């Protein structure tokens, strides 16, 4: 029973934490059953050793029968050898159970995050996703120990009770009632642990998000002089989390202390009762030895039962967080009309922007948020009255929109991996298919649009060339095979911007909507990108939100926006001659540009 990291994880049960844990068991029930059987036999054989020892004493040692003594001793050695093998197989099987639960939970979480797409950030914080990945997944997988040693502990407990019954009904009654009594004593602590663990888990998620925000904006905070204020707030939050951790630790320490101490007292009571019965002649010397052995053997199942309760208490809290995440849903897609069969006009009534197909269009505004809002509406990332041809975008199925329109986010995530994988072509595909790794906004390639797999190499080269990113490849020690850190933090801002542009161009969408794709580049590189971008997108619809004269001069149409609406349309040179506000804006004179957009004359 191997673990396939690429198989379909199945549809998880989202009705609660316990049901999710049960679903993980059902998805690998043969392996879980094997673990339970192996653990049960292993623990029962631990109890068989004192039974064999009692027989060796009563039938071999005490009457002086060396043959019987040798026979029972040999049986103990054989049982010990078999038990050693069973212990190894039990551990191996339960490791596979935990790994399967780990991988399966990771796959369902990542798959659901992908399905949420752009709606993810609006519904859940980054810290929550990170905490699920680094904490909850491990906690859930560890809790599945209950299906192996946990079940085995119950079976062994019953078996030892049965063996004790053959020795003394009184001792058997004490054993059979002792562990339930321990459960009654520890039950309230388990319930309190769940509550404390849930609160700790909530605070941990918030603090993790703060860490990510702090790390990402450290340079900006330094520039504004706000690093100290944020550091103080983080210090206070981390102090609260530490205090909550102490409260969780206090409950856990009581559970562990009582989990060790109460079984010892319980087993001491069983031993004392057995010794008294032997002294009174109610049981033989060999039976007394077996009682001692049963008491020792009970240590394992009792310890596993207590540990099982502890791990399940934590596991169900983690499972509830996963279920809460899996219950998030993207905005309903009510589109029922097919997208235009041919390239068609995109129109945004809110701004008056009309995008003619097959042309390079630029949006120019003193307020970048206005242009970004238009791109989001035309890409259907926000509700609007935008149309594609004569069809409202909201009436077109989202899958069709994403397949043909790409919004290239200037801050799109860059995942760790080789440079080629970061741009969008994996080095190898273990499933034999050319799975393309692109940004979360990337459209699904239309049939016949591009080849995949090894045939993508020419397209990768063309995309890198169009983004003027060849120097990045040449500068890295292993070229496209060089490992790049998450968010490409080991590259400069301009290099990251060109990598994002190359990734967007590699998908070759019918409509490309990009915001400030060259803002971090020097003039020479920006001019190169402008020329190559126009050539690469010849005959395709491209919309750029930019104020760079180098880009605007290559545009077929430029829309000058004032207060989020089209104030003038023409070529770059026409607007330079006829629009003072536009001229001031693209000359990077922010003061004159803002004054012109507010209706004041440009200076």
């Amino acid at each position: 029973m191997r673990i396939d990291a690429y198989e379909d994880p199945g549809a998880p049960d989202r009705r609660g934490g316990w049901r999710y844990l049960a679903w993980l068991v059902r998805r690998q029930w043969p392996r879980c059953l094997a673990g339970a059987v192996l653990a049960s036999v292993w623990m029962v054989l631990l109890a068989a050793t004192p039974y064999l020892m009692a027989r060796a004493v009563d039938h071999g040692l005490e009457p002086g029968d060396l043959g019987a003594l040798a026979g029972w001793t040999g049986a103990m050695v054989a049982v010990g050898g078999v038990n050693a093998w069973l212990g190894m197989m039990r551990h191996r099987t339960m490791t596979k159970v935990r790994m399967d639960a780990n991988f399966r939970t990771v796959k369902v979480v990542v798959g659901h995050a992908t399905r949420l797409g752009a709606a993810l950030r609006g519904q859940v914080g980054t810290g929550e996703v990170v905490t699920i990945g680094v904490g909850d997944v491990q906690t859930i997988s560890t809790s599945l120990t209950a299906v192996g040693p946990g079940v085995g502990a119950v079976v062994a407990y019953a078996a030892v009770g049965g063996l004790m019954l053959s020795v003394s009904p009184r001792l058997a009654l004490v054993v059979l009632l002792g562990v339930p009594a321990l459960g009654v004593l520890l039950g309230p602590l388990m319930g309190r642990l769940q509550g404390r663990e849930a609160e700790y888990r909530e605070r941990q998620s918030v603090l993790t998000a703060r860490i990510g925000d702090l790390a990402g904006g450290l340079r900006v905070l330094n520039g504004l002089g706000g690093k100290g204020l944020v550091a103080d707030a983080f210090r206070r939050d981390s102090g609260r989390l530490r205090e909550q951790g102490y409260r969780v630790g206090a409950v856990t320490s009581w559970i562990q202390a009582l989990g060790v101490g109460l079984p010892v007292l319980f087993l001491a009571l069983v031993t004392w009762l057995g010794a008294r019965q032997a002294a009174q002649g109610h049981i033989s010397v060999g039976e007394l030895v077996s009682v001692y052995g049963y008491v020792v053997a009970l240590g394992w199942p009792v310890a596993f039962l207590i540990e099982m309760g502890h791990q399940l208490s934590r596991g169900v809290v983690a499972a509830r967080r996963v279920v809460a995440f899996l219950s998030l849903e993207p905005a309903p897609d009510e589109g029922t009309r097919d997208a235009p069969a041919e390239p068609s006009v995109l129109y945004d009534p809110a701004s008056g922007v009309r995008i003619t197909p097959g042309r390079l269009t630029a949006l120019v505004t003193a307020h970048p948020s206005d242009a970004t809002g238009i791109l989001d509406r035309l890409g259907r990332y926000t509700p609007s009255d935008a149309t594609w041809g004569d069809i409202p975008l909201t009436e077109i199925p989202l899958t069709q929109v994403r397949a043909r329109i790409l919004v290239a986010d200037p801050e799109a995530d860059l995942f760790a991996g080789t440079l080629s994988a970061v741009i969008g072509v994996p080095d190898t595909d273990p499933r034999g298919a050319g799975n393309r790794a692109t940004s979360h906004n990337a459209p699904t390639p239309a049939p016949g649009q591009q080849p995949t797999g090894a045939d993508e190499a020419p397209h990768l080269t063309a995309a890198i060339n169009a983004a003027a990113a060849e120097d990045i490849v040449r500068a890295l020690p292993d070229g496209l095979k060089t490992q790049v850190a998450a968010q490409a933090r080991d590259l400069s801002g301009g290099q990251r911007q060109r990598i994002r542009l190359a990734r967007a161009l590699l998908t070759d969408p019918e409509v490309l909507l990009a915001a400030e794709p060259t803002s971090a580049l020097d003039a020479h590189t920006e001019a190169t990108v402008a020329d190559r971008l126009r050539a690469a997108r010849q005959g395709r619809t491209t919309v750029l939100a930019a104020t760079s004269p180098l880009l605007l001069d290559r545009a077929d149409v430029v829309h000058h926006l004032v207060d989020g609406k089209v104030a003038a349309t023409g070529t770059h040179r026409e607007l330079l001659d006829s629009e003072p506000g536009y001229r001031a804006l693209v000359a990077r004179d922010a003061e004159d540009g803002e004054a012109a957009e507010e209706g004041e004359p440009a200076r």
Side-chain angles (χ1 to χ4, degrees):
M1 293 179 291
R2 68 188 185 88
I3 297 174
D4 187 348
Y6 298 94
E7 70 177 357
D8 179 13
D13 193 329
R14 310 181 196 181
R15 292 176 293 175
W18 288 110
R19 290 181 180 271
Y20 181 82
L21 295 178
W23 172 77
L24 289 175
V25 174
R26 291 196 303 271
R27 293 298 298 181
Q28 50 171 334
W29 69 265
R31 187 181 292 125
C32 291
L33 179 61
V37 170
L38 289 169
S40 299
V41 177
W42 173 67
M43 287 196 182
V44 169
L45 287 182
L46 288 177
T49 300
Y51 172 82
L52 296 173
M53 186 180 298
R55 302 286 79 75
V57 171
D58 285 344
H59 301 291
L61 184 62
E62 190 171 355
D65 187 343
L66 295 181
L69 179 62
W72 288 111
T73 302
M76 280 193 293
V77 172
V79 167
V82 171
N83 227 18
W85 179 83
L86 287 172
M88 179 184 67
M89 296 305 297
R90 173 198 63 83
H91 187 273
R92 180 180 298 178
T93 303
M94 292 312 303
T95 298
K96 289 183 178 181
V97 169
R98 290 190 292 269
M99 289 175 63
D100 184 282
N102 191 309
F103 291 152
R104 198 173 299 277
T105 300
V106 168
K107 282 187 286 187
V108 297
V109 169
V110 171
H112 191 67
T114 303
R115 191 168 72 87
L116 289 172
L120 175 63
R121 292 186 178 179
Q123 298 192 53
V124 66
T126 304
E128 177 68 7
V129 180
V130 171
T131 306
I132 287 174
V134 302
D136 292 338
V137 170
Q138 184 66 33
T139 302
I140 288 171
S141 62
T142 301
S143 70
L144 290 197
T145 300
V147 304
V151 172
V154 174
V155 173
Y157 173 66
V160 170
L163 291 172
M164 293 282 283
L165 188 62
S166 66
V167 176
S168 169
R170 180 183 297 179
L171 292 176
L173 183 63
V174 172
V175 169
L176 292 175
L177 295 180
V179 172
L182 294 179
V184 171
L185 291 173
L186 293 176
L189 288 175
M190 296 293 185
R192 181 177 296 183
L193 176 63
Q194 286 193 32
R196 296 281 174 85
E197 185 81 23
E199 185 178 349
Y200 177 81
R201 173 64 182 70
E202 188 71 32
R203 290 182 181 273
Q204 186 182 36
S205 173
V206 173
L207 192 63
T208 302
R210 291 274 178 88
I211 293 173
D213 294 341
L214 182 61
L218 190 58
R219 292 183 179 180
V220 176
L221 289 172
N222 275 331
L224 297 175
K227 184 176 69 173
L229 294 175
V230 175
D232 290 340
F234 178 80
R235 195 175 295 112
R236 287 194 299 271
D237 289 342
S238 62
R240 295 190 188 101
L241 180 65
R242 183 178 62 250
E243 293 300 323
Q244 184 63 27
Y246 288 155
R247 286 191 283 271
V248 173
V251 179
T252 302
S253 65
W254 273 106
I255 291 175
Q256 292 178 342
L258 293 176
V260 173
L262 289 179
V264 170
L265 294 177
F266 164 64
L267 299 178
L269 173 63
V270 174
T271 304
W272 180 74
L273 291 175
R276 280 184 58 85
Q277 290 201 326
Q280 294 169 359
H282 296 309
I283 61 176
S284 67
V285 175
E287 288 173 331
L288 175 61
V289 172
S290 68
V291 168
Y292 287 134
Y294 295 149
V295 168
V296 173
L298 271 177
W300 283 95
V302 170
F304 272 122
L305 285 172
I306 294 174
E307 180 66 16
M308 178 184 69
H310 180 213
Q311 293 298 342
L312 283 176
S313 296
R314 301 184 67 236
V316 73
V317 171
R320 287 170 184 163
R321 305 298 301 189
V322 171
V323 166
F325 176 77
L326 296 178
S327 299
L328 301 176
E329 292 294 337
D333 182 10
E334 300 176 352
T336 57
R337 303 176 62 182
D338 286 335
E342 301 294 332
S344 302
V345 172
L346 276 170
Y347 176 59
D348 176 39
S351 64
V353 168
R354 186 179 299 274
I355 307 299
T356 304
R359 308 187 75 181
L360 177 59
T361 304
L363 307 179
V364 180
T365 176
H367 304 291
S369 59
D370 291 341
T372 302
I374 294 171
L375 297 184
D376 284 343
R377 292 194 291 271
L378 294 177
R380 201 182 149 186
Y381 280 98
T382 55
S384 72
D385 296 324
T387 59
W388 194 4
D390 60 351
I391 307 173
L393 270 174
T394 54
E395 296 184 11
I396 302 173
L398 190 59
T399 53
Q400 295 187 26
V401 176
R402 295 287 179 264
R404 296 169 62 182
I405 301 177
L406 168 64
V407 178
D409 187 342
E411 297 299 324
D413 291 324
L414 297 172
F415 299 104
T418 62
L419 181 60
S420 63
V422 170
I423 295 176
V425 179
D427 300 316
T428 58
D429 188 342
R431 303 294 287 181
N435 297 329
R436 178 175 296 140
T438 58
S439 71
H440 66 276
N441 291 335
T444 303
Q449 180 176 325
Q450 278 193 17
T452 59
D455 292 336
E456 281 189 325
H459 297 275
L460 176 61
T461 302
I464 291 173
N465 178 266
E470 311 99 311
D471 61 314
I472 302 175
V473 179
R474 289 194 298 266
L476 295 174
D478 297 318
L480 289 170
K481 304 296 183 184
T482 302
Q483 290 290 327
V484 178
Q487 303 300 342
R489 292 190 179 93
D490 41 2
L491 301 180
S492 68
Q495 289 174 327
R496 289 195 294 271
Q497 194 167 56
R498 283 182 284 163
I499 292 301
R500 290 189 177 100
L501 179 58
R503 182 169 65 179
L505 293 172
L506 178 65
T507 66
D508 193 24
E510 178 184 320
V511 180
L512 173 62
L513 311 175
E516 296 291 350
T518 62
S519 59
L521 306 182
D522 60 76
H524 174 73
T525 306
E526 188 176 33
T528 302
V529 171
D531 288 333
R532 294 182 182 180
L533 178 62
R534 179 179 176 83
R537 296 289 299 170
Q538 189 69 37
R540 312 285 274 176
T541 305
T542 307
V543 182
L544 305 177
T547 56
S548 166
L550 294 171
L551 283 179
L552 300 175
D553 195 38
R554 274 75 170 178
D556 298 311
V557 178
V558 178
H559 293 301
H560 179 215
L561 306 172
V562 177
D563 294 330
K565 298 184 181 298
V566 175
T569 300
T571 65
H572 172 59
R573 297 188 183 279
E574 289 172 349
L575 293 179
L576 282 177
D577 294 337
S578 61
E579 295 291 322
Y582 175 84
R583 183 168 58 250
L585 180 59
V586 299
R588 306 298 174 89
D589 187 339
E591 183 178 350
D592 284 352
E594 289 180 4
E597 290 215 352
E598 293 171 358
E600 300 176 12
R603 291 175 288 179

